[in-house]
Amino acid sequence: MPHSENADPIIQLGQLSAYIAHEVNQPLGAIVTHGEACLRWLNRETPAYEEAAASVQNIIGLGLRASEIVRSICSLATPSALQATRLELNDLVHDVMPLVRHDVSNHSVSLRLRLARGLPPLLGDRVQLQQVFINLILNGIQAMADIDDRPRELLIESCMETGGFLIVSVRDTGTGIAPEHAYRLFDAFFTTKRGGKGIGLAMCRSIIEAHGGIILAFNNAGHGATFQCRLPVIEATATAE
Ligand code: ADP
């Protein structure tokens, strides 16, 4: 199942403005309300400093939330420059394990690693690639959240493909991908989740492509879906340049 091509830019822009209007206007409105409340607490004959401080705390929290939203939109439009170093794919996978352990156990997921030995190194940005793996793992966990009639299993595999590509895949036993969603999964702002942002997979795609790789999604023969990243090994990256 190939990822979708970029949608019509006008539609994307429309989606973007609706997203910003919803996600950023809401905290901005709340910031103004808390700011006004803060002024009222301070302007009392006996200023209520504790209440004023609580309003300021709320303002800080809302400001951080709004700036996180703006940051994630900007990272989609202009992915930050790659801090590329020589990396071992399996080390990257091991490094994200502590970061997802909590979600794995909270959702009663059994997580298995099947990592090939002796893989060649790749040239990549450790933090950005970790972000991709975390996203894929959390998506897999979320796709299994409502599954109660079979085991919730997440399998992370790495291997080498002929042609100079390393492959890492995240396979779940969740809902799988509905055919009508298949071509939109990687589009920015596409989400089927209540409260979802639809940014994770778009960000994954832009990071993997910035590494000269590709990301694919397909349904498994049994249950669930697999998300697969193909990344060039160092030799292949060097020849491509
Ligand atoms: P969000 O998680 O905010 O919805 P994403 O860009 O990460 O944003 O995902 C977009 C959509 O892709 C999800 O809403 C879901 O419909 C689908 N999706 C992502 N991962 C999976 C998965 N492992 N199994 C089935 N569907 C998935």
Side-chain angles (χ1 to χ4, degrees):
M1 191 181 297
H3 64 67
S4 64
E5 292 305 322
N6 275 345
D8 180 339
I10 293 173
I11 296 173
Q12 290 268 350
L13 203 57
Q15 289 171 324
L16 182 62
S17 31
Y19 179 79
I20 294 174
H22 181 254
E23 295 292 329
V24 182
N25 265 347
Q26 197 270 336
L28 283 182
I31 283 171
V32 171
T33 309
H34 284 291
E36 287 167 349
C38 180
L39 278 182
R40 280 198 301 275
W41 293 120
L42 293 176
N43 287 337
R44 282 182 162 198
E45 209 168 319
T46 318
Y49 293 114
E50 263 184 40
E51 284 80 357
S55 299
V56 173
Q57 278 298 345
N58 286 330
I59 289 172
I60 293 170
L62 289 158
L64 289 174
R65 196 177 116 194
S67 76
E68 171 55 26
I69 291 161
V70 172
R71 193 200 59 75
S72 60
I73 292 171
C74 290
S75 71
L76 267 185
T78 49
S80 51
L82 290 187
Q83 306 282 327
T85 55
R86 192 184 167 92
L87 300 171
E88 301 294 335
L89 183 60
N90 291 350
D91 290 350
L92 282 175
V93 174
H94 282 299
D95 288 348
V96 302
M97 290 302 111
L99 308 175
V100 296
R101 191 161 292 144
H102 186 70
D103 298 81
V104 168
S105 68
N106 259 3
H107 287 83
S108 313
V109 168
S110 91
L111 173 67
R112 277 194 306 136
L113 303 184
R114 194 189 286 158
L115 306 178
R117 287 161 189 264
L119 294 176
L122 63 101
L123 200 59
D125 186 306
R126 175 179 299 277
V127 174
Q128 291 193 15
L129 290 175
Q130 284 180 351
Q131 251 177 359
V132 170
F133 300 157
I134 291 171
N135 250 301
L136 297 182
I137 292 169
L138 295 183
N139 272 346
I141 293 173
Q142 284 163 9
M144 296 190 285
D146 293 331
I147 305 294
D148 292 319
D149 59 348
R150 57 178 180 267
R152 299 176 189 173
E153 291 172 343
L154 202 64
L155 174 65
I156 303 175
E157 285 184 291
S158 69
C159 63
M160 175 77 191
E161 190 199 45
T162 48
F165 278 86
L166 287 165
I167 298 187
V168 60
S169 39
V170 179
R171 179 189 174 94
D172 63 61
T173 56
T175 53
I177 300 158
E180 66 272 25
H181 298 154
Y183 289 89
R184 302 168 61 199
L185 290 185
F186 294 93
D187 286 350
F189 315 117
F190 173 77
T191 183
T192 57
K193 296 175 194 166
R194 185 199 288 258
K197 305 251 183 291
I199 283 186
L201 287 179
M203 200 139 76
C204 289
R205 181 172 72 171
S206 81
I207 291 173
I208 295 296
E209 289 181 353
H211 282 77
I214 50 173
I215 182 166
L216 305 164
F218 47 87
N219 278 327
N220 303 326
H223 295 290
T226 297
F227 283 75
Q228 193 174 75
C229 306
R230 291 160 183 239
L231 290 159
V233 298
I234 279 185
E235 288 74 12
T237 314
T239 18
E241 281 170 355

